[in-house]
């Protein structure tokens, strides 16, 4: 089997890249370990930056997103028993965010890719990436019926997420350096059949810990609360979850609208960056190269920004033979990655309860929240970062 760009992973990074390459006349093949059904049913992100929406529209995947996504002009920061609005639209030059679930993005991208002749091998697990330092790298993979296969390509894109194998083809120590931060808490996430409690997302700081009120549709709501990462969902019957969430968003007579909870899960929070994001003819994009705590809603958006840079570099190579943009990929991508790392860490630090925090730290957090909700300059910093930097 042979192609121009071999892509590992049919997540947002791999699918967006494949479609962008297709539009530039470059052929690719995607190797994906999970089934299409499993991918389309996995609940993850919800917030798309303006640039991600624009990119989806530009590549022809924006029709349903434009129709069914919810454009939000602001967010609420809630602390000390009161809500404070950050007007994203006003503070960030008319830019907004759109709430549209990641699995809906994936459904749209998979359908589009298949309709436009794309090749996606589902239930095919990449085992190794080889010869990346030569002009002819290859991906070894195993198909769903256990057959061993080889995909020869000009370039490999490792879009295989946090637990992928692409990264391991960059020698650790001599070439690759990994930067980590593990947070001492996780997020308990739920999906509930209920009407929206608020027109905009609520990020709440409370003595008992952080909570987030998000949405998916007029009938389905997404909420999270800070928890022990080693806790079990079995310890949390519906009533206990609603009580905890309600406590953390209390004040101003605000009441959550409740309903049956049909999905519960706990995710750990971490920050991670792998540098460089390339080696020879291997390029990493998205969670394969970095992850951020979800507080800044940046992960999927960073994946989209990476492949935007990568697609342009690959198309420059195929059009002119120049490797200049390819050589600069990691540097270009990492600038945005570290900005998003900083913002995600900052939002996380400002809004969560740290178990070793002294009374002083709590007071300092509240002063910081006061600053970002009362100073236009500070609020602008939140808004500009939240809606996302323009694609470069
Ligand atoms: P993905 O989505 O993990 O896709 C990687 C794909 O690679 C496949 N794979 C392999 N395939 C073949 N062979 C192998 N050896 C393979 N190993 C792995 C996997 O099956 C998978 O299909 O990575 P990608 O494309 O880089 O996309 C990243 C995003 O998924 C992620 O950053 C976001 O979900 C993060 N995130 C959010 N991002 C936002 O921009 N806005 C948000 O509001 C937001 N909220 C969230 C989030 C992530 C969350 N969780 C669950 C971690 C909320 C949550 C709760
Ligand atoms: C979500 O709706 O899943 C969501 C929203 C905002 C975040 C993270 C996740 O910061």
């Amino acid at each position: 089997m042979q192609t121009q760009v071999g892509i590992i992973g049919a997540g947002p990074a791999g699918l967006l890249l494949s479609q962008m390459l297709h539009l530039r006349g470059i052929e690719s093949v995607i190797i994906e370990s999970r089934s299409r059904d499993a991918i389309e049913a996995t609940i993850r992100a919800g917030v798309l930056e303006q640039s991600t929406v624009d990119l989806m529209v530009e590549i022809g995947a924006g029709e349903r997103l434009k129709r069914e996504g919810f454009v939000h002009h602001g967010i609420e920061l809630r602390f000390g028993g009161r809500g404070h609005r950050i007007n994203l639209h006003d503070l960030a030059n008319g830019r907004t965010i759109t709430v549209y679930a990641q699995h809906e993005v994936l459904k749209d991208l998979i359908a589009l890719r298949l309709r436009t002749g794309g090749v996606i091998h589902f239930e095919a697990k990449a085992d190794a990436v080889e010869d990346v330092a030569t002009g002819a790298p290859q991906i070894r993979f195993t198909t769903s019926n256990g057959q061993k296969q080889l995909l020869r390509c000009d370039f490999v894109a490792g879009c295989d997420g946090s637990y992928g194998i692409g990264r391991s083809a960059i020698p650790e120590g001599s070439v690759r350096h990994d930067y980590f931060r593990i947070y001492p808490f996780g997020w308990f996430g739920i999906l509930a059949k209920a009407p929206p409690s608020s027109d905009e997302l609520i990020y709440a700081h409370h003595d008992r810990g952080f909570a987030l009120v998000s949405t998916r549709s007029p009938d389905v709501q997404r909420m999270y609360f800070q928890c022990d990462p080693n806790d079990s969902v079995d310890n949390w019957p519906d009533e206990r979850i609603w009580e905890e969430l309600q406590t953390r968003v209390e004040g101003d007579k605000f009441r959550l609208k409740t309903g049956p909870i049909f999905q519960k899960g706990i995710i750990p929070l971490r920050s991670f960056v792998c540098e460089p994001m390339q080696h020879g003819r291997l390029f990493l994009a998205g969670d394969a190269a970095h992850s951020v705590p979800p507080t800044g809603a940046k992960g999927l958006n960073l994946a989209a920004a990476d492949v935007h840079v990568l697609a342009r570099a690959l198309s420059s190579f195929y059009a002119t033979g120049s490797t200049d943009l390819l050589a600069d990929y990691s540097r270009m991508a990492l600038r945005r990655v570290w900005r998003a790392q900083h913002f995600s860490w900052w939002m996380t630090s400002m809004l969560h309860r740290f178990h070793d925090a002294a009374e002083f730290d709590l007071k300092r957090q509240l002063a910081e929240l006061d600053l970002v909700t009362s100073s236009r300059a500070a609020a602008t910093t939140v808004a500009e970062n939240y809606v996302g930097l323009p694609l470069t």
Side-chain angles (χ1 to χ4, degrees):
M1 212 183 284
Q2 179 116 26
T3 190
Q4 290 179 300
V5 181
I7 299 175
I8 313 175
L15 289 163
L16 282 167
L17 177 64
S18 180
Q19 186 63 17
M20 283 191 266
L21 292 177
H22 166 71
L23 293 172
R24 291 163 157 114
I26 302 165
E27 192 189 273
S28 65
V29 168
I30 302 182
I31 309 292
E32 165 57 53
S33 56
R34 293 185 301 157
S35 69
R36 182 175 179 182
D37 283 352
I39 293 174
E40 294 184 349
T42 305
I43 308 298
R44 291 184 81 175
V47 173
L48 306 185
E49 293 176 358
Q50 176 101 43
S51 313
T52 307
V53 172
D54 294 346
L55 193 62
M56 286 283 285
V57 171
E58 196 184 304
I59 64 168
E63 200 228 331
R64 200 164 63 95
L65 162 59
K66 280 289 186 187
R67 201 174 60 238
E68 296 178 14
F70 297 95
V71 177
H72 286 209
H73 289 76
I75 54 171
E76 182 177 303
L77 296 182
R78 217 175 158 73
F79 57 95
R82 283 191 52 210
H84 308 255
R85 183 166 192 258
I86 303 274
N87 189 329
L88 300 173
H89 184 262
D90 277 8
L91 294 167
N93 289 324
R95 291 166 78 78
T96 56
I97 52 134
T98 299
V99 178
Y100 189 68
Q102 177 164 334
H103 63 279
E104 303 297 344
V105 170
L106 293 175
K107 279 184 204 168
D108 297 346
L109 287 172
I110 291 171
L112 175 67
R113 201 65 282 271
L114 296 178
R115 204 165 60 239
T116 50
V119 180
I120 308 175
H121 293 278
F122 290 105
E123 297 177 72
K125 188 178 172 303
D127 301 311
V129 180
E130 295 171 349
D131 300 335
V132 296
T134 73
Q138 50 195 28
I139 303 169
R140 282 191 187 280
F141 67 99
T142 309
T143 63
S144 54
N145 54 18
Q147 256 190 316
K148 301 281 178 200
Q149 298 257 18
L150 194 63
L151 175 63
R152 294 177 210 280
C153 26
D154 300 339
F155 298 97
V156 174
C159 301
D160 47 354
S162 305
Y163 306 102
I165 53 116
R167 197 163 59 235
S168 60
I170 307 182
E172 195 176 356
S174 57
V175 181
R176 188 180 106 217
H177 191 82
D178 293 344
Y179 300 84
F180 273 107
R181 166 138 311 170
I182 310 283
Y183 298 88
F185 39 73
W187 277 16
F188 196 114
I190 62 159
L191 281 172
K193 186 136 188 51
S197 296
S198 159
D199 291 338
E200 294 178 340
L201 269 61
I202 301 174
Y203 288 80
H205 173 283
H206 190 272
D207 281 359
R208 293 186 59 82
F210 169 75
L212 170 58
V213 179
S214 182
T215 185
R216 284 294 179 269
S217 73
D219 319 304
V220 174
Q221 308 313 316
R222 180 76 163 142
M223 298 184 204
Y224 302 92
F225 59 92
Q226 176 184 350
C227 67
D228 179 340
N230 301 313
D231 205 342
S232 159
V233 293
D234 299 336
N235 294 329
W236 290 86
D238 288 16
E239 317 80 76
R240 186 175 172 215
I241 292 174
W242 286 123
E243 213 174 289
E244 190 65 41
L245 278 166
Q246 181 58 55
T247 304
R248 295 190 191 192
V249 297
E250 72 194 355
D252 283 346
K253 301 206 176 77
F254 177 74
R255 296 294 306 171
L256 288 173
K257 299 203 171 72
T258 62
I261 295 172
F262 60 91
Q263 205 258 351
K264 300 177 189 177
I266 293 176
I267 57 153
L269 261 61
R270 60 185 203 133
S271 303
F272 164 70
V273 182
C274 150
E275 288 196 15
M277 290 168 59
Q278 68 191 84
H279 182 53
R281 290 199 163 216
L282 167 69
F283 297 85
L284 302 179
D287 279 15
H290 41 73
S291 42
V292 284
T295 330
K298 287 281 164 265
L300 187 162
N301 295 297
L302 272 184
D306 285 352
V307 293
H308 172 78
V309 176
L310 183 54
R312 196 178 43 197
L314 287 166
S315 76
S316 158
F317 171 81
Y318 281 110
T320 67
S322 163
T323 55
D324 290 357
L325 289 184
L326 282 172
D328 208 28
Y329 166 69
S330 184
R331 192 193 62 81
M332 288 275 294
L334 281 169
R335 177 151 187 247
R336 186 188 192 93
V337 167
W338 278 110
R339 286 286 304 269
Q341 284 292 354
H342 170 257
F343 179 66
S344 305
W345 163 86
W346 179 48
M347 290 283 280
T348 303
S349 316
M350 183 164 65
L351 288 162
H352 288 69
R353 173 99 212 202
F354 287 74
H355 62 274
D356 55 353
E359 205 53 14
F360 177 89
D361 300 301
L362 200 59
K363 296 272 187 196
R364 182 186 45 75
Q365 275 183 326
L366 290 170
E368 194 167 23
L369 284 161
D370 185 15
L371 172 74
V372 298
T373 52
S374 59
S375 147
R376 189 174 171 91
T380 302
T381 300
V382 173
E384 281 178 350
N385 282 281
Y386 193 80
V387 301
L389 306 172
L391 290 176
T392 45

